[in-house]
Amino acid sequence: MITINTNEEIQKIARSGEILAACHRELAKRIKPGVTTWEIDQWVEDYLAQNEAIPAQKDFMGYPYATCASVNDTVCHGFPQKTPLKDGDIVTIDMVVDYKGWLADSAWSYAVGSISKANTHLLKITEAALYKGIEQAIPGNQIGDISHAVQSHAEAHHLSVVRPFLGHGIGRKLHEPPEVPHYGKAGTGPLLKAGMVITIEPILTLGSHHVHILEDGWTAKTIDGSWSAQYEHTIAITEHKPLILTKQ
């Protein structure tokens, strides 16, 4: 059953979102050549503890870290590593914050130093696709309207949408109904109603949308080695317009 949250409950999720957004703002200052994603993960865990929050994905279904750190051709769920980031890399940091039992989720892709023209295009269009999806998150629309908006924008700019990984409802639990695909037909899927809180989190690639999972059971990489990016917000659907709860 899809949860319809009260305004008070949305504000509780928003508080988690504020902590998460502030964490990403600080990360943007720290990500540079020579830094490791292991160091980033340790810093995030300390930052959340200082703000009386918990990294909700740590130990979720056995995941061992406070963040997912996905570099270059890793599309999502990458384990933090002690290998330094290099000039020209792109890295996505994905995290879920639990503040007093209410959760928010956001991923963001960062350029490490100076990146190529193609990867600049990848980051720009992936972020824009996220906001195209958010624009459709209004009462009376359907999940498929979000999906179609994301896919249309991506493919119009010659990028592919990774399909196995979906947005989702969120609030008291990390994954709640409904699922939110980032590809599909407009006018399909569950009806959007005020009070719903969902994540929209497209992953786009420069090449194929096909992926494979490494032996660790988590790390997903593109099948053709093409690089990828992801941007994600937690949003509340309101009577008037989408409310971004993880806005940086």
Side-chain angles (χ1 to χ4, degrees):
M1 182 175 293
I2 297 173
T3 300
I4 302 298
N5 296 279
T6 65
N7 288 337
E8 181 181 9
E9 289 168 336
I10 289 171
Q11 288 306 307
K12 291 178 179 178
I13 300 169
R15 177 57 187 143
S16 293
E18 290 170 1
I19 295 170
L20 201 166
C23 187
H24 269 299
R25 287 196 297 271
E26 290 299 316
L27 280 180
K29 304 172 188 176
R30 287 169 164 77
I31 292 175
K32 60 188 68 176
V35 172
T36 71
T37 52
W38 174 269
E39 292 167 339
I40 290 168
D41 185 77
Q42 298 300 300
W43 182 87
V44 167
E45 189 155 12
D46 290 344
Y47 180 90
L48 296 184
Q50 291 167 15
N51 285 274
E52 301 179 357
I54 298 168
Q57 68 207 49
K58 188 172 184 178
D59 299 324
F60 177 76
M61 296 180 65
Y63 186 79
Y65 300 101
T67 63
C68 296
S70 304
V71 180
N72 299 340
D73 65 332
T74 299
V75 299
C76 63
H77 303 158
F79 285 6
Q81 304 288 334
K82 294 184 179 180
T83 304
L85 295 169
K86 303 185 303 293
D87 187 67
D89 286 344
I90 55 178
V91 59
T92 301
I93 304 298
D94 185 8
M95 70 185 89
V96 185
V97 169
D98 177 340
Y99 180 71
K100 297 185 177 180
W102 296 89
L103 280 63
D105 188 358
S106 178
W108 216 253
S109 289
Y110 298 94
V112 182
S114 299
I115 63 174
S116 70
K117 184 176 180 180
N119 286 325
T120 299
H121 174 76
L122 173 64
L123 296 187
K124 178 182 177 181
I125 299 305
T126 307
E127 184 177 1
L130 165 64
Y131 287 104
K132 291 292 184 181
I134 290 173
E135 288 174 3
Q136 297 300 314
I138 57 176
N141 276 0
Q142 293 171 258
I143 291 291
D145 296 314
I146 297 172
S147 309
H148 180 73
V150 171
Q151 183 180 14
S152 297
H153 191 75
E155 294 180 352
H157 292 86
H158 312 293
L159 299 178
S160 300
V161 179
V162 172
R163 303 191 174 200
F165 305 105
L166 311 177
H168 48 87
I170 191 169
R172 297 293 273 179
K173 296 180 180 179
L174 175 50
H175 287 167
E176 300 179 355
E179 293 184 335
V180 184
H182 304 104
Y183 65 97
K185 295 182 179 180
T188 62
L191 187 68
L192 300 175
K193 299 179 181 180
M196 292 171 61
V197 176
I198 60 173
T199 72
I200 302 174
E201 47 184 294
I203 305 171
L204 306 188
T205 78
L206 290 167
S208 170
H209 65 77
H210 294 289
V211 301
H212 65 105
I213 309 298
L214 300 189
E215 291 182 0
D216 61 26
W218 285 98
T219 305
K221 287 183 172 284
T222 57
I223 202 82
D224 60 359
S226 60
W227 287 19
S228 68
Q230 180 183 24
Y231 291 88
E232 172 189 13
H233 276 312
T234 297
I235 66 162
I237 297 168
T238 75
E239 294 290 352
H240 306 292
K241 63 180 182 179
L243 180 62
I244 299 174
L245 304 182
T246 49
K247 188 173 183 179
Q248 296 179 37

